[in-house]
Every structure is written in structure tokens, then in C-alpha cells.
Amino acid sequence: MFNNQHTVYAIFFTLHSHTTVQVGKLGTIVFPSGNYIYVGSAKRNIQSRIQRHLQVEKRKHWHIDYIRPYSEITHVQTYSSELSECKRVQQLFEQYRGQWVAKKFGSSDCRCFSHLIYYKQ
């Protein structure tokens, strides 16, 4: 299903209505309805990490876990380490003409504004 040699992944999902969620230490965030890309990485066991993100019922650990119950996953893409997680976010942000809606979402351990991209179809 996924290329286990890859280390970066992007989860594409849709929110069908505006959703307000308490996201761990980030606080309450209002997510507009629309399309999103969440970018993450796993140095090993990328398939297990992605499978966990796809589950709805689970203990909340990553920021994506908080919004997952409200989202419809449309597809998942994995990438080689040619671009780092942070550079992949920038590449996808430009490619999809993205917008930032949640500061530090998925990026609390780096200098990126966010690893969650909101985009119009």
C-alpha cells in the first residue's frame, strides 16, 4: 500500500463543515470547511504511522488525531527523503496554492508556520 522506503507522507482530507476543535496545547482552532493536506514524517515504520493516523478512535498524540474524527480522508501520498518534511510542506503549499489556518499544527518541533495546508479545489 505504501512505499516503506519513503519517510515523508501527506494525508489529504476534507472537512464538510466548519469545525471547532480543541487541539492539545495549541488551543481551540476553527477549521473552515474544505480540503486539507497534513504533512508528516516517519524515519521507520511509515506504514504503521499512516495506518494509525487513518484510525478515528485512538488516544490523541499528534495534532492530526484531534481533527481526524471530523475529516474524510481522500488519499495518502508518500515521498522519498529527497525533500525534508518541512520542504515538502512548502512544495505542496505552493503547488496547491495553500493557506495557513492553524499555526504550529504538526510543526511544534520546527520553525515552519504549520504542517497543515488548507486549499481550494
Side-chain angles (χ1 to χ4, degrees):
M1 183 174 182
F2 305 113
N3 185 330
N4 283 317
Q5 302 304 309
H6 288 176
T7 58
V8 177
Y9 58 88
I11 299 174
F12 293 73
F13 65 92
T14 301
L15 293 178
H16 294 290
S17 60
H18 282 46
T19 306
T20 302
V21 180
Q22 175 71 31
V23 180
K25 294 178 183 176
L26 294 182
T28 301
I29 300 173
V30 178
F31 296 92
S33 61
N35 301 301
Y36 290 84
I37 307 167
Y38 172 76
V39 179
S41 65
K43 291 192 180 3
R44 55 184 168 75
N45 298 325
I46 192 169
Q47 184 171 354
S48 296
R49 174 75 56 86
I50 293 168
Q51 290 296 345
R52 185 189 187 284
H53 287 328
L54 297 181
Q55 295 173 9
V56 175
E57 298 293 326
K58 62 189 165 223
R59 185 177 71 79
K60 291 172 178 56
H61 180 73
W62 284 280
H63 293 146
I64 187 78
D65 297 342
Y66 293 89
I67 192 71
R68 176 63 188 103
Y70 309 97
S71 63
E72 177 188 342
I73 305 294
T74 55
H75 70 282
V76 176
Q77 177 69 48
T78 62
Y79 303 93
S80 70
S81 58
E82 174 186 358
L83 293 180
S84 69
E85 177 181 354
C86 297
K87 289 187 178 172
R88 184 64 66 186
V89 167
Q90 287 302 318
Q91 183 259 326
L92 290 169
F93 184 84
E94 292 169 16
Q95 179 181 342
Y96 285 86
R97 297 185 197 149
Q99 299 173 30
W100 303 123
V101 296
K103 186 175 183 179
K104 299 312 284 177
F105 192 102
S107 63
S108 53
D109 61 347
C110 68
R111 295 183 179 182
C112 295
F113 185 86
S114 183
H115 283 193
L116 181 70
I117 301 164
Y118 174 75
Y119 69 99
K120 304 273 189 209
Q121 206 48 326

